[in-house]
Amino acid sequence: MAAGLDNKNMALCLVLMISSFGLCLVSTHAELRRFEQPAKTDGTLSFLVIGDWGRKGAFNQSEVALQMGRVGEKLDIDFVVSTGDNFYDNGLTGEQDKAFEESFTQIYTAKSLQKQWYSVLGNHDYRGNAEAQLSLHLRKIDSRWLCLRSFMVDAELAEIFFVDTTPFVQSYFTDAEGHTYDWRGIGSPRAYIANLIKDLKLALSESSAKWKIVVGHHSIRSIGHHGDTKELVSKLLPILKANKVDFYMNGHDHCLEHIGDAESPIQFLTSGAGSKAWRGDIKKQKTGGLKFFYDGQGFMSVQLTRDAAEIAFYDVSGNVLHRWTTTKLLYSSI
């Protein structure tokens, strides 16, 4: 190997097989870590999306999990996406925290949910030991678990880009409201965000996937309690529009929600109702593009083919509250 090459510039690929799911991690340069997730043999893809859930079964978490298992079996899902705030109220205390098993392993027990879980951190996760959720030790306890700050999943038909949105929010640094955040691994927030944006731009621009999906914890558009995240509107949304992203999926607001964008095909999909929900907490002054809002517990499913996508939202009893379909032909005409 030639002298002077450091880890950032090496053209070396690190391939890590997680044997339980046949998952392959390919990491090159300093770009987003890339995981390969096989689609079904017929080329289709289906998965569930859940957020803001980890409460040891309380606030209907167990009931939502039960319905996820039933829908997951019906749809023959390939994996599950978690939009963050995985463990309440303040993340995990460390790698040995029993809350991991009590809120995850012992709750999502259905056979259909024994698939890979791709997770991002939420602001509540950063209030605990954030590094613990990223550790290999948790994967040894439950091999379904995969949580990183930012990464991407190549699922053949779709590429899903997971973005660590908590460091974008300035108030967590300037007005923490008595909370302590675990910023280890972040360093300078400005440099961290700049590097993340650079890596995301590159990954999105190089993507040739039929469907481009970005996942983060915080909302870009929402009429829920937290509303729009101004830092993401200014820093992240222009990148999504420029790279023709189809869906932005998030949690943070404890509701189910679907908002369309007036200036692009992007659909904003909130699935943050995995346990405790906020009844009646709505910002009614920002209802433009709103297609659906539900302030109770539930989750979301995504089904993709080469030409069509179907999004469905379910309540705690498994009832379909909202179903939306689109085609790539429709997208290309907008």
Side-chain angles (χ1 to χ4, degrees):
M1 184 178 297
L5 286 179
D6 58 18
N7 289 335
K8 182 176 180 179
N9 297 313
M10 283 167 40
L12 176 66
C13 290
L14 171 64
V15 179
L16 171 64
M17 297 304 298
I18 302 177
S19 58
S20 300
F21 302 99
L23 184 69
C24 179
L25 164 62
V26 180
S27 179
T28 60
H29 307 287
E31 301 165 7
L32 295 180
R33 280 177 282 184
R34 181 188 187 99
F35 294 84
E36 295 181 357
Q37 168 72 54
K40 295 183 180 67
T41 54
D42 63 0
T44 63
L45 192 68
S46 59
F47 59 94
L48 302 182
V49 183
I50 185 75
D52 304 79
W53 43 267
R55 297 182 186 271
K56 301 180 181 179
F59 294 98
N60 284 338
Q61 184 194 359
S62 294
E63 287 76 9
V64 172
L66 175 65
Q67 298 303 328
M68 287 175 64
R70 292 173 176 172
V71 173
E73 180 179 6
K74 181 180 179 180
L75 300 184
D76 187 21
I77 61 168
D78 299 289
F79 53 88
V80 179
V81 166
S82 171
T83 59
D85 277 3
N86 307 313
F87 302 99
Y88 282 95
D89 277 328
N90 296 307
L92 297 178
T93 59
E95 295 177 355
Q96 306 298 332
D97 192 338
K98 292 299 183 183
F100 176 72
E101 295 173 81
E102 294 168 348
S103 289
F104 178 61
T105 303
Q106 296 170 13
I107 301 298
Y108 302 102
T109 57
K111 183 178 179 180
S112 67
L113 303 181
Q114 306 308 302
K115 303 291 179 67
Q116 189 69 57
W117 283 56
Y118 296 106
S119 306
V120 291
L121 296 172
N123 54 300
H124 281 266
D125 299 312
Y126 267 101
R127 293 177 187 175
N129 186 331
E131 296 283 336
Q133 292 195 45
L134 312 178
S135 74
L136 289 172
H137 179 75
L138 295 190
R139 299 183 207 176
K140 293 177 181 178
I141 296 173
D142 192 324
S143 57
R144 294 178 293 171
W145 184 254
L146 198 160
C147 182
L148 298 172
R149 297 187 192 278
S150 298
F151 60 103
M152 61 181 294
V153 173
D154 180 356
E156 299 178 13
L157 187 63
E159 287 191 336
I160 309 175
F161 305 84
F162 293 78
V163 179
D164 184 18
T165 59
T166 300
F168 280 78
V169 182
Q170 188 176 3
S171 63
Y172 297 146
F173 296 90
T174 60
D175 183 16
E177 299 181 340
H179 299 294
T180 300
Y181 290 85
D182 181 7
W183 296 125
R184 290 176 298 166
I186 301 300
S188 163
R190 180 176 296 181
Y192 179 84
I193 293 169
N195 287 330
L196 175 52
I197 288 175
K198 179 187 68 175
D199 292 344
L200 180 62
K201 280 183 176 179
L202 177 62
L204 283 170
S205 67
E206 291 181 343
S207 175
S208 59
K210 274 286 184 179
W211 301 95
K212 295 181 184 181
I213 302 170
V214 175
V215 175
H217 177 63
H218 294 77
S219 59
I220 293 179
R221 292 287 317 282
S222 174
I223 66 165
H225 173 79
H226 294 107
D228 300 353
T229 306
K230 61 181 182 180
E231 294 90 346
L232 298 186
V233 172
S234 63
K235 293 183 173 67
L236 188 59
L237 182 55
I239 299 170
L240 307 192
K241 288 183 176 181
N243 289 280
K244 299 180 179 179
V245 168
D246 299 288
F247 307 113
Y248 178 76
M249 301 176 181
N250 61 275
H252 198 43
D253 273 334
H254 294 192
C255 61
L256 302 173
E257 188 175 17
H258 177 192
I259 298 177
D261 186 64
E263 300 175 354
S264 75
I266 299 174
Q267 304 298 309
F268 302 100
L269 305 169
T270 297
S271 183
S275 57
K276 188 176 183 179
W278 298 327
R279 286 288 188 184
D281 197 347
I282 305 172
K283 297 184 183 300
K284 295 183 179 179
Q285 71 273 21
K286 292 185 177 182
T287 57
L290 181 67
K291 299 178 184 294
F292 166 74
F293 179 87
Y294 177 66
D295 54 354
Q297 291 108 342
F299 60 99
M300 181 175 77
S301 70
V302 181
Q303 297 181 80
L304 301 174
T305 68
R306 287 187 60 82
D307 301 315
E310 179 178 295
I311 308 295
F313 291 89
Y314 306 81
D315 68 10
V316 69
S317 299
N319 301 310
V320 177
L321 302 174
H322 174 67
R323 193 186 304 273
W324 181 82
T325 59
T326 190
T327 66
K328 272 297 179 179
L329 292 177
L330 174 63
Y331 265 66
S332 62
S333 66
I334 292 180

